[in-house]
Amino acid sequence: MAEGPERIEHRARPRGWQRAVARLPLRLYRVGLGPLFGDRLLLLHHTGRTSGLDRSVVLEVVTRDPAAGSWTIASGFGPRADWYLNLRRRPETVIQVGNRRHRVTAHSLTPGEGGEIMARYAPRHPRVARRLCAFMGFTVDGSEAGYRRVGESIPFVRLEADR
């Protein structure tokens, strides 16, 4: 069995001005400018698992399948990200892509599926893949196998539109 990727540090959530910058896409979605992001970002609505309050976060779409009505997203802060834990508790939710809203059900993917997704994503977006890995605290050698190992360590979620 292959060794997992080397994680160089635990990535803390942004604070201060970095948090303000990170939340800028959310503000743009809220004022009706979601279409600026095309289909690269989506607005995920979720319910707090403890509070029961409505929450929202903007996330990058890693893959999408328009024919199947599905979007795949990744938890860059790992399995303890609030939105990830909230979806595990209540998988039925709503997303917004551009100006369109979709009722979806969240399905956690296996580590093998995550590895496959990352191995396909990296060659299509090499600079972004390297930056994302560094942001999440992973070192990667740039090989398909390296990205696959990273993908096996990241929680991926497929959002499937209710039909």
Side-chain angles (χ1 to χ4, degrees):
M1 183 169 187
E3 262 185 48
E6 180 184 346
R7 193 156 202 170
I8 54 179
E9 66 181 66
H10 172 68
R11 183 68 182 171
R13 293 180 184 161
R15 295 179 186 264
W17 69 269
Q18 291 175 327
R19 177 177 161 85
V21 169
R23 293 188 57 84
L24 183 60
L26 181 59
R27 293 178 193 274
L28 293 173
Y29 256 103
R30 286 183 175 160
V31 297
L33 297 176
L36 290 175
F37 303 115
D39 56 9
R40 291 282 295 162
L41 300 179
L42 61 77
L43 175 65
L44 172 71
H45 297 274
H46 53 105
T47 303
R49 64 195 174 284
T50 304
S51 69
L53 297 175
D54 292 333
R55 305 289 187 197
S56 54
V57 63
V58 175
L59 300 165
E60 179 189 8
V61 175
V62 179
T63 65
R64 69 182 182 93
D65 183 347
S70 69
W71 299 262
T72 302
I73 55 178
S75 179
F77 289 108
R80 290 161 82 201
D82 287 327
W83 69 263
Y84 180 77
L85 294 171
N86 291 343
L87 284 183
R88 291 189 55 92
R89 172 77 53 90
R90 292 190 179 117
E92 293 81 23
T93 192
V94 174
I95 62 170
Q96 183 178 335
V97 182
N99 281 335
R100 302 208 54 193
R101 294 171 73 86
H102 306 272
R103 289 197 154 295
V104 296
T105 302
H107 302 278
S108 295
L109 301 184
T110 67
E113 290 170 316
E116 181 64 29
I117 289 167
M118 196 67 180
R120 287 193 319 256
Y121 178 88
R124 288 193 325 262
H125 308 284
R127 279 190 240 155
V128 174
R130 274 194 316 275
R131 287 186 193 135
L132 282 173
C133 287
F135 175 80
M136 292 183 288
F138 291 104
T139 57
V140 67
D141 62 8
S143 69
E144 178 183 322
Y147 283 113
R148 186 177 305 279
R149 284 191 301 273
V150 168
E152 291 170 351
S153 301
I154 300 170
F156 283 88
V157 175
R158 180 159 296 125
L159 304 169
E160 297 179 355
D162 297 344
R163 305 230 174 204

